[in-house]
Amino acid sequence: MLKQRTLRNSIKAVGIGLHTGKNINMELFPSDENTGINFIRTDIDETLIIPAIAENVGDTSLSTALVKDNVKISTIEHLMAALSGSGIDNIDIEINGPEVPIMDGSSKQFIDLIENAGLSKLAEKRKFLKITKHIEIIDGEKKCSLSPSNNMNFFASINLRQRDVIIAAWLIVVISMVFAMIVIGGITRLTGSGLSMVEWKPITGWLPPIG
């Protein structure tokens, strides 16, 4: 039976905001079961908690941003990936600026900090979202679908009509406590005014479990 997890010790991270250029101080604290992942903008209101839930996603242009009561925290995706891959269910994140520091541009430094801090198991069982039937959303030429599966696999494709595009193709495969990010397309420079296509295809590749 999988139990909920949090940090064993707190973590401090300092870096630059990718979109604002501001110096950002961020600290991650252990939290109790069933509290979830919560952001707190200490530079605005230390009492306002912004839960990392779908209902609070307010902007997805260039990054993912959470918004509550007109308070925004953006560029959360790399940190959220590190927390998910490390199996962390509950954590409080205090940050003194409008976005999570970009660090090295990936989740690696966040994962390194989490591994150094250690993890603690909590008493409550983990909660899972189970897809029981095929779901599809279409918006113009954009389409997203979910289907039942015993594993978590992502497949994606993108069409771009641009003169000069640099594209990196990635596949993320997550199963249980395994978190793998594998470059499958490399970086391709495309020129001309025709249609550019990159496909993300399923491959097999695993990293050792974290924690």
Side-chain angles (χ1 to χ4, degrees), residues 26 78-79 82 100-101 103 106-114:
M26 183 175 70
H78 296 161
L79 175 59
V100 172
M103 309 306 279
S106 75
S107 297
K108 182 181 183 301
Q109 291 186 343
F110 293 129
I111 291 175
D112 290 343
L113 289 171
I114 291 169

Side-chain angles (χ1 to χ4, degrees), residues 138-210:
I138 299 176
D139 180 11
E141 296 182 350
K142 296 173 288 185
K143 182 174 73 173
C144 180
S145 63
L146 297 173
S147 297
S149 174
N150 291 327
N151 302 322
M152 186 178 288
N153 302 307
F154 294 85
F155 311 89
S157 64
I158 184 171
N159 295 324
L160 298 174
R161 294 184 182 275
Q162 296 184 16
R163 180 174 180 81
D164 194 353
V165 183
I166 299 178
I167 298 174
W170 300 80
L171 170 69
I172 300 177
V173 180
V174 184
I175 292 185
S176 186
M177 302 310 297
V178 181
F179 184 72
M181 182 174 287
I182 308 165
V183 179
I184 63 168
I187 298 178
T188 306
R189 188 173 184 84
L190 303 172
T191 58
S193 58
L195 179 67
S196 301
M197 167 71 81
V198 168
E199 287 191 357
W200 295 2
K201 299 179 180 179
I203 62 175
T204 301
W206 309 111
L207 296 178
I210 298 173

Side-chain angles (χ1 to χ4, degrees), residues 6-9 113-120:
T6 188
L7 288 175
R8 181 177 298 128
N9 301 292
L113 289 171
I114 291 169
E115 288 182 333
N116 288 333
L119 300 176
S120 291

